[in-house]
Amino acid sequence: MNWERFSCSVPGKWVLAGEHAVLRGASAVALPHPELGLKLRFEPDRSRSGLRIDSAGDSAAVRELIESVRESWGEEQGRSFEMPSGTLTIQSTIPIGAGLGSSAALCVAMTRWFAEPLRLLDAREQGEFATRLEHRFHGRSSGMDIAVISAGEPISFGMTLGPKSLGVRRLPRFTFHDTGLRARTSECVYRVEKFREEEPTAAMRIDEAMAEASRLAMEGLIAYDRGDRGQGVEKLVRSMNQAQECFYSWRLVPGDAQRLEYELRKRGALACKITGAGGGGMLVALWKHGNSDS
Ligand code: PMV
């Protein structure tokens, strides 16, 4: 196993539409975060044994992740895993637990680092490996975070269809706003499950509404990118409003997030929604003027 000098950068992610419903077969629309990201660097040092982890985040979690790979590599593949010797530096600007893909970014970066020594040959193998790593953080997930961070571009994502590039480069102006509240994804998924048990018919309608919001989001992004800005923005507004209504129906918009949404709309945001699992985290707002390249 050959651990060479290595470095890579990966973006954070955000979700425009399709959260939760994606777990039951709907498509979602996810984008790389335009500013936040994670850098991983490995500097080998064969003169000393052992790995030094230099990370402002949770070094213990990184070490555990590497240990778990070592163990499963031995068990599943029956091959020995030689621990790297040197310094691993991880720098991330992605806030933890805010639904912006902090753990998925770490897993994708680690997978890229492991790809050469572990001979993870193609994108599919690397995607599966990164998804298995991420399960250690979150339990079951749709795999959307790993898919969009790996792709590094706007995608539609379905659990059976997988990721599909939307082929868009120009985006309208979206901004991100922290509610200051944190909720675990698993807790939010559990709350939606509970709601589905209590009100199955309403829950089915909400899933359909979220799937429709995803379709509108795709059409809106594509229209905007090909220069039809009016129609693009109009569809995105409808999509985001509809998606946000779903979060309200699931009771995943706490009071502080509602107040922030009200503020943003008062300041002129055309639409505003929770991005990610809900229960707090981040709001994304869409504005009339200006565009940004993805
Ligand atoms: O953004 P996250 O990773 O907190 O979760 C949002 C997406 C969910 O549909 C709620 C979960 C998933 O795995 O897709």
Side-chain angles (χ1 to χ4, degrees), residues 129-148:
F129 187 89
T131 305
R132 277 211 304 277
L133 282 187
E134 213 220 356
H135 283 171
R136 303 203 162 256
F137 285 96
H138 285 316
R140 197 174 83 92
S141 78
S142 65
M144 162 169 63
D145 291 13
I146 295 289
V148 65

Side-chain angles (χ1 to χ4, degrees), residues 13 19-20 22-23 99 141-142 144-145 185 189 276-277:
K13 73 99 211 325
E19 297 97 329
H20 292 284
V22 71
L23 292 166
S141 78
S142 65
M144 162 169 63
D145 291 13
T185 300
V189 169

Side-chain angles (χ1 to χ4, degrees), residues 109-124:
M110 297 265 281
T111 300
R112 291 203 177 148
W113 177 36
F114 289 157
E116 183 64 35
L118 298 193
R119 303 223 168 284
L120 306 169
L121 295 177
D122 54 23
R124 191 186 52 81

